[in-house]
Amino acid sequence: MTVAAVVLAAGKGTRMKSDIPKVIHPICGRPMVAHVVNNLREAGIGRIIVVVGPDGEKIQAILGSDVEYVVQEEQLGTGHAVLQTQTILKNHSGSLLVIHGDTPLYRAGTLRDLVSCHESSEAIGTVLTVTVDDPFGYGRIIRDADGKLEKIVEEKDATPVEAMVREINSGTYVFECEPMFAALCRIKPQNVQNEYYLTDVVPILREEYRRVQVFSHGDADEALGINNRVQLAAAEQILRNRIREHWMLAGVTMVDPATTYIDAEAVLEPDVVLLPFTFIEGHTQISTGSVIGPFTRLKDARLGENVIINQATVLDSSLEPGCNVGPYSHIRPGCHLRAGAKVGGFCEIKNTVIGSGSKVPHLSYLGDTDVGDKVNIGAGTITCNYDGHDKHRTTIQDEAFVGSNCNLVAPVEIGTGAYIAAGSTITGDIPPGALGVARNRQRNIPDWAKRRESKRRPPKKES
Ligand code: UD1
Ligand code: CA
C-alpha cells in the first residue's frame, strides 16, 4: 500500500480539563495516540506523519522516531492542521489517510477496508461515517437528494434539522493529496468556532465536480472520538472488553472477566488462569500454567511457567517457573525470584534476588539483598538496608538459615550454610557454617511473681 497517514494530534483538548495533552492520556495503559499509530501500522501503513502542537515533545517522547512530525504552531482547526503537512508530503504520490489522534479504537481491518474502498473508486475523497444513537459533539453527514455526500456540518453550526442527523463524521478520511491540499488552501474560518475545518473541503471538491464518497461502517464503537473524560472511560471499557476476549480466545481462563483488567501491552500464554479482581498492567508477561489472583496487581512483571500469585502486588520484577507469592505481599521493582522461590504472607521485598528453592515465608522485609539457593528466612526477618543516607546490600549465601525475628544490618554477608539465632541483630559477617548469635542471654528470676504479689497494696475500699 503506498498510502501514507496523517495523525492530527495538535489540539489543546480543552474539554479534558487536563494539564497533559489529550492524546497522551492512557487507555488500557497505552497512550491514546500510540493506539492510533499502532492501528495504522497494523493496517500496513508505512509512512506516518503526526501533527503536534508547540508542546509536542511529550508526544514525540512517546512515539519516538518511527513516525515523522510536523508542528502546528497555532491550533486554528483540523483543516489548518492537515495543511501543515503539505511541504513534507510534496513528493508523496499515493493517497493519504487522515485520522485524529483522539480516535484510538479502529480495527486494522476497518482502516484497510476504508483504503481499498477509496482506491477502488474514482473518488478524490472518502469519508468514514457511522450512525450513532447520540450524535452529540460530532459533525453531521448531510446528504443531497440523491443520497450523495453534500457537506459535513459541525454540531455548533448545525440547524435544528441538521442536528437531528445521526450519521456522523468519524474524522477518518482518505484523500488524493493534490486536490485535497488545493481545496484546503481555499477554506475559510467562517463558522461559530472561527476555525479552519477540514470538513469544508467536501463542498469545495463538489463544486469542482470532484467526487467525495462515504464509507459507512457498521461498528460505531470504533469511531468513538475522545473529547472528555466520560468518553475516555467509555473507550477504556470497549478496549478492555476486546482485550479480554482476545486472550480468552487465545486460551486464557478468566473466572470473572468483569473484574479482570488487562493492559494493551500485556502478553499471556494459554492456560494462564486469572482469578477475580486482578490487574495485569504495563508490559507484563505471564507464562503457561500460572494462576494469578484473586486481588492481585502485576505491573511490568515477567512470570515463568506455573507461578502462583495470590493477593499480592508485583512491580517490574522477574519470577522464574514455579515461584509462589502471597497472600498480602509486595514485590517492589528490581526483584528476581529464581525457580521455585517462595515469598509468603505479609512480606515486602525490593531490589532483591531470591535464589532457587529459597523461602521467605512470613512477615519479612528484604531490601537490596542477594539470597542464595535453598535459604530459609525466618518469620519477621528485616534487612536494615538504609542508614539514613545510603542503601547497602545484604548477602545471604546458599543454604543459610536465618532464625525468626532477626535484623541484618547492611552491609553484611552471611556465609554458606551459616545459621543465625532467632532474635539476633547481626552487624558483622558470619563465616560459612557458623552460628551467629547476637542477643542477650535469657535470665530467669525464681519466684518473682509471688514476691510481686506480696508487695501489692490492698485495693481501696469503695466509699
Ligand atoms: C472533529 C470533526 C467532526 C468529527 C469529529 C470526530 C472537524 C471540524 N470536526 O470534531 O466533524 O465528527 O472530529 O471525532 O474536523 N487538531 C489539531 N489541530 C487543530 C485542531 C484539532 O491537530 O487545530 C486535532 C486534535 O488534536 C484532535 C483532532 O484534530 O485529535 C480533532 O479535533 P477536535 O477538536 O477533537 O475535533 P472535534 O470537535 O471532535
Ligand atoms: Ca474529537
Side-chain angles (χ1 to χ4, degrees):
M1 228 190 287
T2 53
V3 56
V6 166
V7 179
L8 304 186
K12 295 197 194 85
T14 327
R15 291 165 278 183
M16 289 294 277
K17 308 220 161 53
S18 175
D19 281 344
I20 63 167
K22 169 169 80 175
V23 298
I24 67 174
H25 279 261
I27 299 172
C28 297
R30 182 192 274 160
M32 202 184 293
V33 68
H35 282 284
V36 175
V37 168
N38 246 50
N39 299 341
L40 292 168
R41 290 276 185 238
E42 261 185 59
I45 292 171
R47 186 169 184 205
I48 299 176
I49 296 144
V50 182
V51 182
V52 297
D55 63 349
E57 68 284 347
K58 287 185 186 133
I59 295 173
Q60 298 195 22
I62 288 165
L63 297 178
S65 53
D66 276 1
V67 300
E68 298 164 61
Y69 299 93
V70 165
V71 178
Q72 183 193 21
E73 292 295 348
E74 267 188 288
Q75 281 57 69
L76 302 179
T78 48
H80 181 258
V82 176
L83 196 54
Q84 308 309 303
T85 65
Q86 190 171 18
T87 315
I88 203 171
L89 283 168
K90 67 174 180 297
N91 295 324
H92 179 64
S93 52
S95 37
L96 185 69
L97 192 154
V98 176
I99 191 166
H100 295 176
D102 66 357
T103 51
L105 297 181
Y106 288 108
R107 293 180 194 271
T110 306
L111 298 176
R112 272 197 298 265
D113 291 349
L114 170 69
V115 172
S116 346
C117 168
H118 178 83
E119 294 196 329
S120 60
S121 75
E122 296 292 307
I124 291 295
T126 304
V127 183
L128 197 162
T129 73
V130 295
T131 298
V132 294
D133 292 333
D134 177 12
F136 178 80
Y138 290 102
R140 310 296 204 274
I141 297 295
I142 308 300
R143 292 171 181 262
D144 65 16
D146 300 332
K148 297 230 168 64
L149 177 63
E150 183 185 332
K151 59 179 176 175
I152 300 170
V153 181
E154 290 308 296
E155 163 109 16
K156 288 179 177 153
D157 304 301
T159 64
V161 173
E162 287 169 338
M164 279 162 64
V165 172
R166 292 191 299 117
E167 186 183 12
I168 58 112
N169 169 28
S170 70
T172 306
Y173 322 77
V174 181
F175 288 109
E176 292 311 298
C177 263
E178 250 177 70
M180 177 200 70
F181 282 123
L184 274 179
C185 292
R186 291 179 50 199
I187 59 174
K188 303 213 162 59
Q190 282 160 358
N191 49 59
V192 171
Q193 306 188 81
N194 297 316
E195 282 184 7
Y196 292 90
Y197 289 166
L198 171 58
T199 46
D200 283 350
V201 300
V202 173
I204 294 173
L205 292 171
R206 255 177 75 105
E207 221 175 81
E208 296 169 354
Y209 304 106
R210 311 269 210 157
R211 187 166 161 232
V212 185
Q213 65 175 359
V214 158
F215 172 79
S216 42
H217 182 58
D219 183 358
D221 279 355
E222 287 185 53
L224 179 66
I226 297 162
N227 296 325
N228 57 42
R229 310 248 185 175
V230 176
Q231 288 163 328
L232 181 71
E236 178 102 17
Q237 192 92 13
I238 292 166
L239 204 60
R240 287 221 177 278
N241 271 328
R242 278 196 209 165
I243 293 171
R244 289 177 187 125
E245 272 181 37
H246 168 84
W247 290 117
M248 286 190 277
L249 293 173
V252 172
T253 294
M254 283 173 215
V255 171
D256 182 22
T259 62
T260 306
Y261 298 79
I262 306 168
D263 273 358
E265 313 276 358
V267 179
L268 313 179
E269 286 186 359
D271 285 328
V272 163
V273 175
L274 303 178
L275 299 174
F277 294 96
T278 292
F279 303 79
I280 312 294
E281 299 177 15
H283 288 83
T284 292
Q285 298 169 19
I286 310 178
S287 303
T288 189
S290 293
V291 180
I292 313 301
F295 301 100
T296 290
R297 176 171 179 232
L298 308 182
K299 182 164 193 224
D300 299 322
R302 300 161 296 276
L303 272 48
E305 295 175 9
N306 303 314
V307 168
I308 295 175
I309 315 240
N310 169 19
Q311 308 194 58
T313 296
V314 179
L315 310 176
D316 193 11
S317 291
S318 305
L319 282 69
E320 291 182 13
C323 287
N324 194 322
V325 174
Y328 315 117
S329 282
H330 188 184
I331 313 287
R332 290 169 52 199
C335 290
H336 186 129
L337 273 58
R338 297 199 200 282
K342 176 189 166 96
V343 175
F346 300 98
C347 295
E348 174 174 331
I349 68 171
K350 184 217 80 175
N351 198 17
T352 284
V353 178
I354 310 280
S356 191
S358 292
K359 296 191 173 88
V360 190
H362 341 264
L363 299 153
S364 289
Y365 169 64
L366 302 182
D368 306 303
T369 301
D370 295 297
V371 177
D373 297 343
K374 296 190 191 145
V375 168
N376 189 78
I377 306 281
T381 296
I382 304 292
T383 55
C384 311
N385 58 325
Y386 184 50
D387 62 13
H389 269 283
D390 298 305
K391 301 282 170 67
H392 303 280
R393 288 201 81 82
T394 299
T395 305
I396 304 172
Q397 301 288 12
D398 295 350
E399 295 180 33
F401 184 97
V402 179
S404 294
N405 205 34
C406 287
N407 304 309
L408 306 178
V409 182
V412 71
E413 177 164 348
I414 314 304
T416 306
Y419 281 69
I420 305 180
S424 294
T425 293
I426 299 296
T427 53
D429 295 351
I430 304 177
L435 168 69
V437 192
R439 65 179 188 218
N440 286 337
R441 267 186 190 287
Q442 182 173 330
R443 181 167 73 102
N444 294 339
I445 305 173
D447 298 327
W448 182 87
K450 205 190 283 170
R451 275 185 282 132
R452 178 173 182 267
E453 197 56 34
S454 66
K455 276 188 206 153
R456 266 202 179 150
R457 283 184 294 168
K460 264 193 193 163
K461 286 222 176 73
E462 277 176 41
S463 52

